[in-house]
Amino acid sequence: MREDVRGRIDALVAVGRPAEARAVARTALADDGPEAGLFLALARAHMAEDDDDHDDDAERVFREGLDAFPDDIGLLAGYAELCTRSDSMDRPGRHARGPVLLARLREIAPESVELKRAEAAGSSVSTNARNSASVHRVQSFDAARAFAEAPTPQAAADQAAQWAAAAPRDLRFAVLAETTAALAATGRTWLRLLLCRGVEYRFATGLVVAVLIVLRITVLPAIPYGMAAGLGLLLGLPFLGLRRLLRAARERAADRIAAAISVSASVSEAAPGAEAGEGAEPGDGADADGDAETRGDDEAAVGGDGPGVPELPPVPRVTRREYAFAGAGLALLFAVGGTSYAASLEYPRYDIVAHDTFRGLQGFELREEFDPFGAISDGELNDSTARVYAAADAAPDAAAEYLVAVTTGDFHEMRESFVDDDRLFPAVTDQEGVVHESWQAETGPHGAWMRCLRYTEAGTGTPRAMCVWGDKGSIGMVLFTAADENHEAVEETARSVGTAFLRPAAD
């Protein structure tokens, strides 16, 4: 009877009903007195909550049980597992008790399964059903191992089904049976590959995305970063289907365990009437044999570990293969980061030539009155100038012949679209004139992207042109008088002015 109660407690914990499991354990302890297995079952029902307060309660139960049964292997191993898994910073005293308990286990049960499980507790994940990440890992580990060891996927599913039938209240076997059955179905080859080689697939996906990013940084700047991100998401979509399948398998396994618990409870309730022998004659051997056979069938339907059921190994927190691919992933990340950093250093360097006079005109500094580079962060700028040029004897209110603004710096994020959408300079022409036309120009000074427009200056009625250019090492703007000039003439004037104010820096 005690074995049946402990099995029911373990099954309730397995399907995520630890509160009911604790109630059953306490009732059994109150009715039938202390028993090491019940103390262990009650403690594990507290541990299943994955909560600090319940861990404290579990420790009290373990200590109470060990006071009564000081050399019980199950209690020692369970307590050692609790202590080993505890946080050494949050619960230093409890964590320190783990090695002491393990030493005691090695002394009294050096080859026991309980000792091996307790020793692996610190390096393996919990099978607590409330911890979805751990449950997913245990499920994936068990299924991948089953497929790897079986000759065919269907053979793995059949073997897992036999184990689950022999141990109908073991959630881990139930999950394994449901998972292998789902993945062994026709058309699930790709999902099996993702399950067994998920680490490799993720690394390959990261490698593809990394290659796209490196190409974008180096030789194909027209490729948007969104393409790499979109491809990464697209390649990751198959994992969503796998996760849905695994979640459905866990739900079916929980339903199976719940059904086993219901059958177990029904058999336990029917047992008193059967023991009283109601309706049976003392000499009726055939009926007695029939009752014994029926009881045997019931026990097989709800029983615990049956013959041939293996001890599933602890699930490692991190395998060597995962360590290897994690290292390769870090190396890939450093490679992308290094490429990005190198690209940030590789931009054209220019020197600014700030002319005091230009084409026979006198130059005047504008930076105090007009700063066209206010939207650019200081960390990107190296040097800049902004000047107007007019005749030395020109009237104070006369229109300037040229306005030139040039800056140099690290503009490695510069794209052609930045020149097109007016993000580089304030819209001076909208404030001071009427724009007639705007167009994408041919290359600007030193091959930069360039855009030009023609407008009429509001204050003086002077026809003007403005060209803005930019590359990864310079940004510039020039305004000048342009009476009825065609696009080619405007662009050529802008290029000649930009070339006069910028020159490639000496190495």
Side-chain angles (χ1 to χ4, degrees):
M1 195 60 168
R2 288 290 184 95
E3 291 293 334
D4 184 69
V5 172
R6 289 201 301 272
R8 188 178 182 191
I9 293 169
D10 292 340
L12 286 169
V13 171
V15 296
R17 292 152 65 181
E20 294 181 41
R22 292 193 296 274
V24 172
R26 292 192 188 99
T27 300
L29 285 169
D31 293 344
D32 302 327
E35 199 266 336
L38 287 176
F39 279 120
L40 176 60
L42 177 57
R44 290 198 177 278
H46 279 294
M47 292 169 63
E49 296 285 1
D50 196 20
D51 175 84
D52 288 342
D53 291 338
H54 279 282
D55 284 348
D56 294 341
D57 292 336
E59 183 170 20
R60 282 191 287 270
V61 172
F62 276 125
R63 289 191 171 191
E64 183 181 353
L66 287 171
D67 287 342
F69 308 96
D71 294 327
D72 184 80
I73 297 174
L75 286 173
L76 286 170
Y79 192 14
E81 181 179 342
L82 172 67
C83 294
T84 304
R85 290 188 187 279
S86 63
D87 192 317
S88 60
M89 299 296 292
D90 189 39
R91 294 289 193 276
R94 179 186 301 163
H95 187 80
R97 284 189 284 275
V100 178
L101 292 164
L102 289 174
R104 178 60 177 158
L105 268 175
R106 295 187 189 100
E107 180 182 343
I108 63 176
E111 302 297 331
S112 64
V113 173
E114 289 82 0
L115 173 60
K116 294 178 181 178
R117 186 183 297 117
E119 287 178 330
S123 60
S124 62
V125 298
S126 171
T127 57
N128 178 5
R130 294 194 59 192
N131 187 338
S132 60
S134 294
V135 169
H136 174 79
R137 181 169 178 81
V138 171
Q139 180 184 20
S140 302
F141 175 84
D142 288 344
R145 179 172 171 269
F147 285 125
E149 294 179 353
T152 65
Q154 190 57 51
D158 293 342
Q159 181 66 80
Q162 294 175 13
W163 292 339
R169 289 180 301 190
D170 190 305
L171 182 61
R172 193 171 172 185
F173 281 117
V175 170
L176 177 60
E178 294 293 344
T179 305
T180 51
L183 287 172
T186 305
R188 300 284 171 79
T189 303
W190 181 244
L191 293 180
R192 289 197 302 273
L193 177 64
L194 287 180
L195 178 77
C196 300
R197 290 291 179 263
V199 176
E200 290 87 338
Y201 182 86
R202 289 186 179 92
F203 178 77
T205 299
L207 181 61
V208 171
V209 173
V211 168
L212 283 178
I213 293 175
V214 170
L215 289 176
R216 161 68 175 75
I217 292 172
T218 54
V219 297
L220 296 175
I223 295 179
Y225 282 115
M227 179 180 293
L231 182 60
L233 291 175
L234 183 63
L235 292 175
L237 284 178
F239 281 107
L240 295 179
L242 178 61
R243 282 187 171 275
R244 289 183 60 186
L245 183 145
L246 295 179
R247 186 184 305 113
R250 292 197 298 269
E251 292 173 355
R252 291 193 300 272
D255 291 341
R256 174 189 290 195
I257 296 298
I261 294 173
S262 299
V263 173
S264 176
S266 299
V267 172
S268 297
E269 292 173 359
E275 290 173 358
E278 295 178 0
E281 296 295 331
D284 195 350
D287 289 345
D289 292 340
D291 290 342
E293 183 178 352
T294 301
R295 285 196 300 272
D297 291 342
D298 289 340
E299 289 172 1
V302 302
D305 295 342
V309 177
E311 178 75 19
L312 293 177
V315 182
R317 291 187 180 276
V318 184
T319 64
R320 292 181 179 179
R321 184 164 57 96
E322 288 171 325
Y323 271 123
F325 277 96
L330 285 175
L332 190 64
L333 182 63
F334 280 122
V336 173
T339 302
S340 178
Y341 179 71
S344 70
L345 300 179
E346 289 299 324
Y347 62 90
R349 268 74 166 180
Y350 300 101
D351 291 329
I352 294 177
V353 183
H355 300 278
D356 293 330
T357 60
F358 181 66
R359 296 181 180 178
L361 304 173
Q362 183 66 41
F364 301 93
E365 183 64 40
L366 271 183
R367 291 297 300 274
E368 292 184 1
E369 301 175 12
F370 171 64
D371 184 8
F373 310 116
I376 302 174
S377 66
D378 293 338
E380 296 176 314
L381 293 176
N382 288 341
D383 192 12
S384 63
T385 187
R387 296 191 174 199
V388 292
Y389 292 89
D393 57 352
D397 57 347
E401 291 296 323
Y402 295 96
L403 185 155
V404 183
V406 180
T407 184
T408 61
D410 178 4
F411 310 127
H412 63 272
E413 290 294 331
M414 173 68 70
R415 301 291 177 268
E416 186 175 7
S417 60
F418 292 5
V419 178
D420 291 340
D421 62 9
D422 285 328
R423 282 193 285 178
L424 290 178
F425 298 102
V428 293
T429 55
D430 293 339
Q431 301 172 5
E432 300 181 5
V434 178
V435 177
H436 302 302
E437 60 177 332
S438 175
W439 70 94
Q440 181 65 43
E442 297 296 331
T443 57
H446 305 293
W449 295 294
M450 187 165 70
R451 182 175 63 84
C452 297
L453 58 84
R454 295 178 64 251
Y455 69 102
T456 299
E457 195 171 60
T460 64
T462 304
R464 311 276 284 181
M466 180 179 77
C467 289
V468 177
W469 71 83
D471 61 16
K472 296 180 183 295
S474 71
I475 300 171
M477 174 179 69
V478 56
L479 287 80
F480 53 91
T481 302
D484 299 326
E485 294 187 16
N486 59 32
H487 291 182
E488 289 78 7
V490 169
E491 294 173 19
E492 179 57 34
T493 300
R495 276 191 290 270
S496 65
V497 172
T499 304
F501 279 77
L502 277 176
R503 67 185 178 193
D507 293 337

